Structure formats: C-alpha cells, structure tokens
Amino acid sequence: MDTTIDVGGEKETRPLIEQIETDIYSGKLAPGMWLKQIDLEERYQCTRLTLRHALEQLQSRKIVQRVPNRGYYVPPVDQAYANNVRRARAHVEKSIADELIANVTGDSLARLSYLASIYSEALKTGTLSDQDHANLAFHRELLTSCKNPVMVDIIWDLRRRVPLAAQRASNTPAELERAAREHFEMIECLRTRDADRLRFVTEKHVGVRPIQN
C-alpha cells in the first residue's frame, strides 16, 4: 500500500522529495519507469506544482532524468555511475574515521555488536528485506558517533543513489559473508581506536563491485 503524505501546500516539498527518492531506492519506482505526473499526484496526494518542484530537485541531483516533451523517468544505473558513487562514499566515510573513534561510546559498541549479529543471522534465515533492514540499522548506529550532521546527510544521500535492486545484483553469498565479517572488524577498530585500520576496512566494505541492470 502506497504512503500518502501531506506536503503542506506548495511551500514544503522536502517530504515529497524524500518519499520519491525512497521509492526509487527501494524499487517501487523502478529503473526505466516513466513518472507520469497524474499518477504521482494521486500516489502521493500532492499538487502538480509541488510535484514539479520535487522532480526538478531530483533531476538536479540526477536521481531522475527529464526528456523534453516527454517527461521524467527513473534512469538505469550503469556500472561507471555506481562505481563513482561507491568511490565518493568510501572517501567520505573514511574521512570521519577519527571522529567515530573519538565519539563512540561503550553503549554504542554494544549496540553495534548486537546489530552486526542480527545482520549475520539475517543472512542465514532472513529475507532480503530483513537483510537490508539489518544492514541499514548497523550503519545508522555507526553514524551516530559522527557529530557532523552534514557529513551524515552526504553519506546517506550517496547510499541512496544506487537503488537496492542494483546493489543486490552483486551480492553473492561470499560478498554478503564478507560484509558481515567487516561489520565486526569495524567494531574492533572502534574498540581498539585504530583509525588507520578502520579506514582500510571501510574502503574494503564500501568497495567497487560489479552491478547488473
């Protein structure tokens, strides 16, 4: 069932932008799909002007593309773009290693250990959705130790630029098991306050992997 949101008239487009972006990331609005304005107005219960402003913002960030006289569509994710996103994300996440180590608490380390275990278990018995939620929960907790909200926003923005379907295409069992091990490696780096090692593990974890459209 689609989520109906109140964007507060013409002035407030941020909730609508976030909802469309979330639906693209999750695959509800799939790569190659044309975004018919009348359908989106009904789906999100918004006005045409608010929708147009939201789509313009998403176009400026290359989340959607526009063809003159035809409209907006969700672009396919190509290998080069996905690799560039991963490189950018790795660069940003490595840059906050020292801050994470400086701010992480014992309680956060305990939560990270618990969430890493949940993710490992989800790989054995959970659904794809369970795995996605567990992975996001781990990284969300990890970023609580970064006190720069702008950096956190940038990291989440980069994560959402490659839809889940494209990410899953490269997730072989071996890759997923490696990701699970790296969660525990990150925790150990935080516990031992080894920033250089944390940067190294982060580079491996984000990495550049092949995708399939």
Side-chain angles (χ1 to χ4, degrees):
M1 182 177 180
D2 294 330
T3 301
T4 298
I5 61 174
D6 178 5
V7 297
E10 309 290 273
K11 294 182 291 185
E12 183 55 69
T13 60
R14 175 53 52 187
L16 179 59
I17 291 170
E18 291 177 352
Q19 186 62 61
I20 295 174
E21 187 173 4
T22 296
D23 286 349
I24 291 172
Y25 176 71
S26 67
K28 291 180 181 178
L29 300 175
M33 180 176 177
W34 285 93
L35 303 175
K36 296 181 180 179
Q37 293 196 33
I38 190 169
D39 293 340
L40 295 185
E41 288 167 29
E42 181 177 353
R43 180 188 186 104
Y44 299 114
Q45 293 295 289
C46 63
T47 67
R48 176 159 297 190
L49 183 58
T50 301
L51 177 62
R52 187 176 300 126
H53 288 165
L55 291 173
E56 287 171 355
Q57 290 297 313
L58 290 167
Q59 181 191 11
S60 71
R61 294 170 49 218
K62 302 187 185 304
I63 303 299
V64 303
Q65 291 183 6
R66 181 177 178 272
V67 176
N69 302 318
R70 286 204 65 185
Y72 294 89
Y73 71 99
V74 181
V77 180
D78 63 40
Q79 182 73 68
Y81 177 78
N83 287 348
N84 285 337
V85 170
R86 284 187 175 277
R87 290 189 185 99
R89 183 183 151 202
H91 180 77
V92 175
E93 292 200 33
K94 287 192 299 180
S95 75
I96 64 171
D98 290 306
E99 183 171 358
L100 295 182
I101 287 173
N103 295 319
V104 71
T105 65
D107 286 344
S108 185
L109 285 171
R111 287 193 293 273
L112 285 168
S113 295
Y114 170 74
L115 293 169
S117 298
I118 292 293
Y119 178 69
S120 293
E121 188 60 31
L123 295 183
K124 300 173 186 176
T125 61
T127 64
L128 286 175
S129 179
D130 293 334
Q131 294 169 17
D132 292 334
H133 284 304
N135 185 54
L136 289 174
F138 175 87
H139 286 278
R140 189 174 293 111
E141 177 61 35
L142 180 67
L143 291 176
T144 62
S145 295
C146 177
K147 304 308 178 182
N148 184 334
V150 176
M151 294 293 279
V152 173
D153 286 346
I154 290 171
I155 290 168
W156 284 114
D157 175 73
L158 289 168
R159 289 185 70 99
R160 289 192 295 266
R161 284 175 179 263
V162 179
L164 279 173
Q167 295 181 39
R168 287 170 178 162
S170 66
N171 284 343
T172 64
E175 287 287 345
L176 292 172
E177 290 173 9
R178 179 173 72 87
R181 290 194 301 271
E182 287 166 356
H183 285 171
F184 289 104
E185 288 183 56
M186 291 178 184
I187 295 167
E188 187 59 23
C189 292
L190 291 168
R191 196 186 312 277
T192 59
R193 301 187 179 280
D194 190 338
D196 288 338
R197 179 67 181 174
L198 181 57
R199 282 187 280 271
F200 174 75
V201 175
T202 298
E203 179 74 46
K204 284 198 307 174
H205 190 68
V206 176
V208 171
R209 302 182 181 90
I211 65 163
Q212 299 173 17
N213 289 325

